[in-house]
Amino acid sequence: MLKKIFIVLFSLICIVSCGEEQSSDQQITEQQSPSDNKASQSTSQKFHAPRSWDNIKRSGYIRALKLAWEDENHLPRSGSTSLFHRQLLTDFAEFHQLNVQWVMVDSIKQMFDALDKFEADIIPRHLTVTEQRDQRVAFTDKLAQDTEVVIGRAEAKPLTKDEIVTVHLPEGTSYVDSIKQLSANWNIHYLKKSLSADDLADRIAQKAIDFSVLDQSAVDTLLDYRDDIRIVKTLPEQRTQAWALHKHNREFLQKLNDFISAHHVEQSTQVVRTHDLNVIKSKPLTLRMITRNSPETYFLWRGELMGFEYDLMKEFTRQHNIKLDVIVADEYQEMLDLLSSGRGDVIAAAVSRTEQRQQKHNFSIRYNRVSEKIVAHASSNIKTLDDLNGKTISVRQSSAFWHTAQELAKSHGAKVMAADESLSTELLIGQVADQSIELTIADSNLIDIEQSFRDDIIAPITLNENIPYAYMVRDNNPKLLAALNAFIRKEYRQTFYNVVKNKYFANQQRKQKHREQRITEGSNLSPYDPVVQKHARRFQFDWRLITSQMYQESRFNPKAKSHAGAQGLMQVLPRTAKELGYSNLTDPKESIAAGVEYLNWTRDRFSSDLPVEERLYFALAAYNAGYGHVKDAQKLAKKMNLDPNVWFNNVERAMLLLQKPKYYKKTRFGYCRGSEPVNYVRDIHQRYLSYVTIAR
């Protein structure tokens, strides 16, 4: 009955809100961007000439264009991505003590139109330099070079220019000119909006369209995790790529080129090279970090790239004034292959330095040390090594724990079972918690992470202490090794290092155990009900739902701060708040306003054709885990013959699988602790239903 009430309530909200939606044809779509009224007003001002560099400096910000679907980061798996350009412009702005104000549009054509109308200062993306464009805008110095390729379904045959085919292309892209030059026989069908490479591949795989064109680097990234598309033709010319700004903005152009020359490494696709650090810095080139997509190393959360290994390596490259690329590998042997073949420069992936490994490979000094521990279910009576007699320990043969388990079999009568190589240690811990296996072995860092989210496991026995984690480099890179060792000596156990380590491994129960406040009919749900009601009305949300979400996020504590840096009553990340136009997340009014606005933005990312209650469930899940992970779960649900447009018992089931390498290796956004958004939506939903009966 309560669920029916919930659906009816949100159906009514839909009727109210449908008339408020903006047209998708609006050229600069502020509704698609997380920006508040103040930012919207500044980006919608009409100018009659490009802003000079002096005007930009006086205003304190650069107005930059980006496509609406690029609002959230994806998980970079190999080499540079579009994140490279956004970060580079941010670096430029910070160098000149400026901010970046992002203006969202739906297509490349709208980008150039907005630049013509002086509605923005720059297009900072990998735009192909063409003769026609060069007459229209000014381009910076070269930022990248790439090849254009035609893609089709996996079963498609290679194309010839004499065939008659239809290619779907976004209007205004350089691909249109390329196809016209290649073959007069090919028909071009224009897409109204620019799509991400992943969405374009989806349309091809689902047979909505047959062929399209992308840059080779974008397709290389797709092929890292997809097998339903392929390259059917490579276009003959390599294309130069650069940023665009108005032709008359000469001083701004000079400032950009000076910065590119002094600070920038030219973006390139992944190539084989074995240069030492001195060459990487002098050219300059990127440092390519080889790692795993896991909660210890490198992952995506709410659009933020995170991980202990990633944060340390970012600081190392910052100190050496070079850029960082990330190469994601699935297994230890793959990491070794990438390093030895010259497709990466350093392995930073929580790799233990053992005597056996040191005989074959080149390690740094230790930058972290952990203990090996037995992991058992919370109900287990295991307390000493003697209690292991007859018990089964499940570990992967390829892990450093295999040798330890074998020793326990000899010395204390334990049984050892070889776990599936596709099962991460995190998943083995989950199997212990589910009692589908008896025991496993894990390092203390990962156990700390797991115990922050669950209370059904214990680590009663420490087996080996002071296991060193170290970086791995090639033998012919002594300068890189020396620099890494110097970095470790400087930072190890100092302030920066300790902050980063505590961020990921401090065993603080993130699932707070506070009891719900006792609420009686007619009483306030929270100390902030009037503020919540005001902002909920603005975006057509039921204020009781927002209050339920606020309790879930912070337990009504305005000073709450998460391990990942989210702050305030609604636990918004500072970067997101800044884009929304808010700066003080400890102020309840700002935090609530930012959280409600961000929830509205996540809701707008999902189709308005969805039932209103389903759209809200997806929005809540995206608020918690990030839009990209929810999108991955929808795709996975469809493959599993579940309904991708229904959350409970459908997409939520797929969401739980995104912790397993078998599934997340084949997704765009990678690893996700799926149990978090699943529990998050369920808890908010249940609390909301109880609030409905109390506060009317």
Side-chain angles (χ1 to χ4, degrees):
M1 180 66 185
L2 285 175
K3 185 171 182 181
K4 289 181 180 178
I5 293 172
F6 177 81
I7 293 171
V8 170
L9 282 168
F10 278 94
S11 298
L12 291 172
I13 292 169
C14 182
I15 293 171
V16 173
S17 63
C18 284
E20 297 295 323
E21 292 185 0
Q22 295 188 7
S23 168
S24 60
D25 293 330
Q26 184 179 355
Q27 270 214 338
I28 297 188
T29 316
E30 293 297 338
Q31 182 66 22
Q32 291 179 315
S33 165
S35 56
D36 72 348
N37 287 341
K38 299 183 292 294
S40 299
Q41 289 166 5
S42 62
T43 55
S44 62
Q45 291 176 9
K46 299 299 181 182
F47 294 89
H48 302 289
R51 297 198 307 160
S52 68
W53 176 246
D54 285 342
N55 288 336
I56 291 172
K57 287 285 287 183
R58 281 196 294 270
S59 73
Y61 62 88
I62 300 168
R63 288 191 315 240
L65 289 152
K66 67 176 177 180
L67 296 173
W69 53 261
E70 291 180 323
D71 289 333
E72 181 173 273
N73 299 345
H74 63 275
L75 182 81
R77 295 170 182 269
S78 66
S80 299
T81 67
S82 58
L83 298 179
F84 170 90
H85 295 276
R86 298 209 293 275
Q87 185 58 53
L88 187 62
L89 182 65
T90 301
D91 291 345
F92 170 81
E94 290 177 354
F95 180 78
H96 288 284
Q97 298 180 314
L98 297 168
N99 293 315
V100 179
Q101 190 178 87
W102 294 102
V103 181
M104 307 297 178
V105 294
D106 288 331
S107 68
I108 298 293
K109 179 181 182 299
Q110 289 179 12
M111 282 187 160
F112 282 100
D113 290 345
L115 201 62
D116 286 344
K117 296 175 182 178
F118 317 120
E119 292 169 344
D121 304 312
I122 188 170
I123 307 175
R125 62 179 290 106
H126 45 289
L127 293 172
T128 297
V129 179
T130 66
E131 185 176 344
Q132 183 178 8
R133 286 177 173 177
D134 200 36
Q135 295 173 0
R136 182 177 183 182
V137 298
F139 282 104
T140 63
D141 290 343
K142 182 174 70 173
L143 293 166
Q145 198 163 20
D146 214 336
T147 302
E148 297 169 346
V149 297
V150 183
I151 59 171
R153 283 182 285 281
E155 64 272 18
K157 296 179 180 179
L159 294 179
T160 68
K161 64 179 182 180
D162 297 326
E163 292 183 69
I164 300 177
V165 298
T166 298
V167 183
H168 285 71
L169 302 172
E171 189 177 5
T173 63
S174 63
Y175 306 141
V176 174
D177 293 336
S178 299
I179 293 302
K180 286 180 178 179
Q181 293 173 14
L182 176 71
S183 176
N185 292 327
W186 290 11
N187 300 313
I188 297 175
H189 188 281
Y190 293 105
L191 300 171
K192 292 182 179 179
K193 293 184 179 182
S194 293
L195 302 173
S196 70
D198 204 48
D199 288 337
L200 200 58
D202 283 345
R203 292 200 180 188
I204 291 173
Q206 294 162 6
K207 299 185 179 180
I209 62 177
D210 292 323
F211 304 102
S212 191
V213 180
L214 288 170
D215 292 342
Q216 175 79 57
S217 58
V219 178
D220 287 345
T221 299
L222 289 176
L223 295 178
D224 279 341
Y225 62 94
R226 300 188 67 133
D227 55 11
D228 52 1
I229 60 163
R230 61 164 297 193
I231 296 172
V232 293
K233 188 169 187 61
T234 300
L235 304 189
E237 293 183 20
Q238 274 211 327
R239 296 302 192 102
T240 295
Q241 296 175 337
W243 295 347
L245 59 160
H246 201 278
K247 270 191 171 297
H248 300 301
N249 224 334
R250 294 178 183 175
E251 189 175 0
F252 186 22
L253 177 63
Q254 187 60 51
K255 295 290 183 184
L256 287 165
N257 285 337
D258 289 346
F259 183 83
I260 289 168
S261 176
H263 299 273
H264 169 54
V265 46
E266 182 179 318
Q267 185 190 23
S268 61
T269 56
Q270 188 177 333
V271 296
V272 173
R273 56 174 168 83
T274 59
H275 302 309
D276 205 349
L277 184 61
N278 59 321
V279 179
I280 290 173
K281 293 175 72 171
S282 64
K283 281 193 175 290
L285 300 168
T286 57
L287 183 76
R288 298 166 302 172
M289 164 192 175
I290 303 167
T291 194
R292 295 178 295 115
N293 179 203
S294 79
E296 284 183 282
T297 55
Y298 174 67
F299 61 96
L300 187 70
W301 183 80
R302 292 192 180 182
E304 291 281 336
L305 292 171
M306 302 180 69
F308 179 66
E309 305 289 348
Y310 177 66
D311 282 2
L312 288 183
M313 200 52 61
K314 271 203 310 182
E315 178 63 16
F316 173 78
T317 53
R318 186 195 69 78
Q319 291 184 14
H320 285 273
N321 197 28
I322 53 178
K323 299 293 179 183
L324 178 67
D325 277 347
V326 180
I327 313 295
V328 174
D330 294 327
E331 298 173 354
Y332 175 66
Q333 186 57 51
E334 184 183 355
M335 289 192 282
L336 295 179
D337 293 342
L338 287 167
L339 184 66
S340 62
S341 66
R343 288 175 289 161
D345 301 309
V346 55
I347 297 176
V351 174
S352 57
R353 188 186 65 203
T354 65
E355 290 184 10
Q356 184 180 15
R357 287 174 174 175
Q358 274 190 291
Q359 293 173 6
K360 299 179 181 179
H361 307 292
N362 207 15
F363 282 89
S364 70
I365 61 176
R366 73 160 185 258
Y367 64 88
N368 193 15
R369 57 183 176 185
V370 298
S371 300
E372 292 180 342
K373 295 185 175 184
I374 288 287
V375 181
H377 190 268
S379 63
S380 169
N381 291 321
I382 291 175
K383 296 178 181 178
T384 69
L385 288 170
D386 291 337
D387 295 331
L388 298 177
N389 184 39
K391 299 293 192 295
T392 301
I393 303 172
S394 300
V395 293
R396 298 185 314 278
Q397 283 184 289
S398 64
S399 76
F401 306 131
W402 180 256
H403 176 74
T404 303
Q406 294 294 328
E407 290 298 315
L408 290 173
K410 293 176 184 177
S411 62
H412 291 87
K415 299 176 183 178
V416 181
M417 178 178 290
D420 189 319
E421 286 294 323
S422 68
L423 293 176
S424 65
T425 304
E426 174 202 5
L427 293 176
L428 291 173
I429 293 174
Q431 289 187 356
V432 171
D434 296 338
Q435 296 185 294
S436 55
I437 62 174
E438 277 190 292
L439 306 169
T440 192
I441 301 174
D443 72 61
S444 52
N445 277 349
L446 185 56
I447 292 170
D448 284 343
I449 292 175
E450 290 299 307
Q451 289 183 326
S452 294
F453 290 97
R454 57 169 79 243
D455 54 13
D456 48 9
I457 59 166
I458 56 173
I461 303 173
T462 298
L463 303 172
N464 295 307
E465 295 184 290
N466 297 327
I467 305 297
Y469 280 176
Y471 299 127
M472 299 176 69
V473 299
R474 286 180 294 272
D475 290 338
N476 64 340
N477 287 171
K479 290 183 172 59
L480 176 57
L481 180 61
L484 288 167
N485 286 339
F487 172 73
I488 295 166
R489 291 189 185 99
K490 175 186 174 186
E491 300 294 348
Y492 185 58
R493 291 191 171 178
Q494 300 302 309
T495 301
F496 169 77
Y497 178 91
N498 290 336
V499 168
V500 174
K501 188 168 184 180
N502 288 335
K503 175 180 175 181
Y504 295 104
F505 305 130
N507 193 354
Q508 299 166 349
Q509 196 71 13
R510 293 171 196 162
K511 287 187 175 180
Q512 301 174 47
K513 299 297 181 182
H514 301 306
R515 296 183 63 184
E516 298 250 1
Q517 292 182 353
R518 293 183 61 83
I519 300 172
T520 58
E521 187 169 357
S523 69
N524 290 338
L525 297 183
S526 79
Y528 311 103
D529 287 0
V531 181
V532 173
Q533 290 164 357
K534 171 186 174 183
H535 292 287
R537 281 195 301 270
R538 178 183 170 197
F539 293 105
Q540 292 84 46
F541 286 114
D542 187 318
W543 71 274
R544 295 164 294 189
L545 174 93
I546 301 300
T547 306
S548 176
Q549 184 189 17
M550 181 168 60
Y551 179 88
Q552 188 74 18
E553 289 287 354
S554 66
R555 272 47 176 187
F556 303 148
N557 176 10
K559 295 183 179 180
K561 186 173 182 179
S562 78
H563 70 287
Q567 298 176 14
L569 288 167
M570 296 295 285
Q571 290 292 278
V572 177
L573 287 167
R575 177 185 65 84
T576 303
K578 185 177 180 180
E579 291 182 358
L580 291 163
Y582 303 98
S583 58
N584 184 9
L585 289 173
T586 60
D587 180 342
K589 292 180 180 179
E590 288 208 23
S591 181
I592 292 169
V596 175
E597 193 164 345
Y598 183 60
L599 181 64
N600 178 66
W601 181 74
T602 62
R603 181 178 60 180
D604 283 350
R605 301 297 299 275
F606 296 98
S607 172
S608 58
D609 294 333
L610 286 171
V612 67
E613 71 276 8
E614 297 298 340
R615 196 179 183 200
L616 185 67
Y617 299 148
F618 287 129
L620 287 168
Y623 190 106
N624 176 257
Y627 168 77
H629 290 309
V630 179
K631 184 178 178 183
D632 281 344
Q634 285 183 288
K635 291 181 180 179
L636 180 56
K638 188 172 183 179
K639 290 180 181 178
M640 297 168 63
N641 294 318
L642 300 170
D643 191 334
N645 295 323
V646 174
W647 175 257
F648 288 119
N649 297 316
N650 284 271
V651 176
E652 69 169 353
R653 287 171 58 187
M655 198 93 209
L656 292 170
L657 297 176
L658 295 182
Q659 289 177 239
K660 298 185 177 183
K662 175 183 177 182
Y663 297 99
Y664 72 67
K665 287 178 186 176
K666 297 296 183 182
T667 64
R668 182 166 182 77
F669 292 84
Y671 167 87
C672 175
R673 185 182 290 274
S675 57
E676 282 197 77
V678 167
N679 292 333
Y680 182 85
V681 175
R682 281 188 176 273
D683 289 347
I684 291 173
H685 176 228
Q686 291 301 316
R687 189 181 302 106
Y688 167 74
L689 292 178
S690 68
Y691 283 179
V692 166
T693 64
I694 295 169
R696 304 184 187 281

